[in-house]
Amino acid sequence: MSSISKNDNVSQPPGQHVVFFPFMSKGHTIPLLQLARLLLHRRRHISVTFLTTPANRPFIAQFLSGTASSIVELPFPEDVAGIPAGVESTDTLPSMSLFFSFINSTELMKPDFERALKNLDPPASFLVSDGFLWWTLESASKLGLPRLVSYGSSNYFMAVRTALTLSGALHRHEPEREIITVPSFPWIKFNRNEFKYPVLQNPQAKELMTKCDDATNRSFGIIGNSFYELESVFIDQWNREIGPKIWPVGPLCLQAQPESCSATVVHQWLDEKLEKDESSSVLYVAFGSQVEISSEQHREIAKGLEESNVNFLWVIRKPKDETKDCLPDGFENRVKNRGKVLTDWVDQTKILNHRSVQGFLSHCGWNSVLESICAGVPILAWPMRAEQSLNAKLVVEEVKMGLRVETCDGTSKGFVRSQGLRKMVEELMEGEMGKEVRKKVKEVADMAKKAVEEGGSSWQALDSLIDEACKFGAKRDSEMYG
């Protein structure tokens, strides 16, 4: 059974009605929440409804507070093998080994999802659902509803992955050819071991992605959380040769979002660094909420940061009971004058926009890359899973706004020694290459801001998206109801 609420009891205006259904993961949900706030700000007669589960509802409600939006609550499937009761988000999974089982379990929500769509008043104009929720296409099609897809990934990744998949380059067993050239983009080359996308090793993942890709191919279009100037070559190639159409409407992290005071203590610490020395710079270190890092690797990171002699703010995401085991004895005391370690959630966007933060050691999740771009902060790329290795190549080789950490075996899952980390941390924060990428990222940040301004490329793309999707819906209504 579903339940509906209105934020702040604000009635919805008549007109276009957009329905959002994000995948149950904060990294996938936040961009769609940002897009929802943008739509409500930009289009006076648009109404927004978010579909979510009971455990995810408070986060969504807080983000959308003060807006004329609605929330429809759908029950999450019960008794799913391996998924503990009450776990309704990948952020709370006991292990990422359950990731694909979790995704597949969402299909059990289909009956409640369809009932919710049918009961919406006014009827939906179009649906925006996550790419992992492939099964929503069939439900939307029953109602003649256009489905727009959101993957929350770079257009570079989508275009390169598709080119490699269609060519079969990654499946050929040619040990003598370790360097792979990407079809359609011959300047992009990488070592075979560098591309460790899970579809290649996991049959369950391959089956899932086949379903997701098929549903995407038959959908109305794709919402790109990017901007045209950043990825024009890959957007144009996709729209010209692959499809469905991508509308680059980002970076969505530049759009209005609710104020947060959660970073007060952190900002006081960063402010103190500037008070002591106006030229003081801080390296921000964070690897997202889903990356699993061993205690041994944590200790190597700690040693590298300690020996680098740079100021740093390090956010560690891990089970609370491992807090003492993952850092060397006395580490925090030895670095207390220049380093701070946090284990709680922080407002990453606010940290990156602090004047003292001049570098970001990152896993290169796409949201983190965009937040770093918008803040004008260069990246020291350390990809660890999924599409992050390709995001890192975009950052380092295409945009040239970052440097790359080298692993022992050259793969994204390879081990990083403290000496190598120290070397690249110092280069980013103090070296000549660091100066170059810092200059470049400032230029890209300016382009991002112009893209979302009135008349900019992302501004125009959003207008085009809404108009085309709503025209499709109006044509559907005319055909169905005369």
Side-chain angles (χ1 to χ4, degrees), residues 134-150:
W134 78 94
W135 48 268
T136 60
L137 173 66
E138 182 181 350
S139 302
S141 297
K142 289 179 182 178
L143 299 175
L145 194 64
R147 180 208 185 213
L148 284 151
V149 184
S150 168

Side-chain angles (χ1 to χ4, degrees), residues 90 93-99 287-295 297-298 317-319 322 384-385 388 413:
T90 60
L93 282 174
S95 170
M96 289 308 293
S97 64
L98 298 169
F99 183 73
F287 304 109
S289 60
Q290 297 181 17
V291 172
E292 296 177 342
I293 302 176
S294 68
S295 293
Q297 184 64 88
H298 270 122
R317 303 285 175 83
K318 55 181 177 23
E322 291 185 12
M384 297 183 181
R385 62 186 297 271
Q388 293 162 10
K413 292 186 177 180

Side-chain angles (χ1 to χ4, degrees), residues 184-201:
S184 302
F185 312 107
W187 65 92
I188 303 177
K189 303 177 188 294
F190 56 85
N191 187 288
R192 185 179 297 274
N193 288 333
E194 187 180 352
F195 194 91
K196 293 292 185 181
Y197 195 61
V199 167
L200 303 178
Q201 296 89 29

Side-chain angles (χ1 to χ4, degrees), residues 33-233:
L33 287 167
Q34 293 166 338
L35 177 58
R37 292 185 71 94
L38 174 61
L39 287 175
L40 291 166
H41 175 72
R42 284 271 300 276
R43 291 282 182 124
R44 186 176 176 185
H45 296 299
I46 240 177
S47 55
V48 164
T49 295
F50 251 81
L51 307 183
T52 189
T53 67
N56 291 298
R57 178 180 183 149
F59 176 77
I60 289 174
Q62 180 180 17
F63 202 104
L64 294 176
S65 62
T67 69
S69 58
S70 298
I71 299 173
V72 176
E73 194 175 293
L74 307 177
F76 192 81
E78 297 180 353
D79 302 322
V80 178
I83 309 297
V87 172
E88 299 179 10
S89 171
T90 60
D91 309 89
T92 55
L93 282 174
S95 170
M96 289 308 293
S97 64
L98 298 169
F99 183 73
F100 294 108
S101 296
F102 181 90
I103 295 176
N104 283 318
S105 72
T106 64
E107 188 175 11
L108 298 173
M109 302 174 68
K110 192 173 183 180
D112 289 302
F113 171 72
E114 292 184 354
R115 278 192 290 272
L117 282 183
K118 291 177 182 177
N119 292 333
L120 288 175
D121 184 21
S125 302
F126 59 90
L127 168 71
V128 180
S129 72
D130 194 277
F132 284 156
L133 304 177
W134 78 94
W135 48 268
T136 60
L137 173 66
E138 182 181 350
S139 302
S141 297
K142 289 179 182 178
L143 299 175
L145 194 64
R147 180 208 185 213
L148 284 151
V149 184
S150 168
Y151 275 105
S153 56
S154 65
N155 300 302
Y156 173 91
F157 161 71
M158 292 176 60
V160 170
R161 181 180 81 88
T162 300
L164 289 168
T165 301
L166 293 175
S167 71
L170 291 170
H171 299 279
R172 298 190 192 112
H173 298 287
E174 300 172 337
E176 72 281 2
R177 295 185 61 188
E178 289 300 319
I179 302 300
I180 297 176
T181 299
V182 180
S184 302
F185 312 107
W187 65 92
I188 303 177
K189 303 177 188 294
F190 56 85
N191 187 288
R192 185 179 297 274
N193 288 333
E194 187 180 352
F195 194 91
K196 293 292 185 181
Y197 195 61
V199 167
L200 303 178
Q201 296 89 29
N202 187 329
Q204 187 182 19
K206 185 175 182 179
E207 180 183 359
L208 171 67
M209 290 312 299
T210 298
K211 290 188 289 189
C212 292
D213 288 345
D214 178 65
T216 297
N217 293 339
R218 295 185 290 116
S219 294
F220 183 76
I222 299 172
I223 290 178
N225 185 13
S226 185
F227 56 105
Y228 181 76
E229 292 79 2
L230 181 68
E231 303 184 89
S232 59
V233 171

Side-chain angles (χ1 to χ4, degrees), residues 214-267:
D214 178 65
T216 297
N217 293 339
R218 295 185 290 116
S219 294
F220 183 76
I222 299 172
I223 290 178
N225 185 13
S226 185
F227 56 105
Y228 181 76
E229 292 79 2
L230 181 68
E231 303 184 89
S232 59
V233 171
F234 308 100
I235 293 170
D236 287 343
Q237 190 269 353
W238 180 280
N239 286 344
R240 182 177 62 248
E241 301 180 20
I242 303 173
K245 184 177 179 179
I246 289 176
W247 282 274
V249 299
L252 293 170
C253 59
L254 281 178
Q255 312 306 332
Q257 48 190 314
E259 285 294 315
S260 169
C261 59
S262 61
T264 302
V265 175
V266 177
H267 273 252

Side-chain angles (χ1 to χ4, degrees), residues 9 49 70 84 100 106 130 144 149 159 217 254 264 289 295 312 320 344 371 388 390 401 416-417 419 438 457 460 475:
N9 296 317
T49 295
S70 298
F100 294 108
T106 64
D130 194 277
V149 184
N217 293 339
L254 281 178
T264 302
S289 60
S295 293
F312 64 89
K320 296 290 185 182
D344 296 324
E371 289 167 3
Q388 293 162 10
L390 288 184
M401 53 159 279
V416 174
R417 297 291 180 189
Q419 301 94 320
R438 187 165 290 106
S457 61
Q460 294 181 45
K475 181 180 178 183

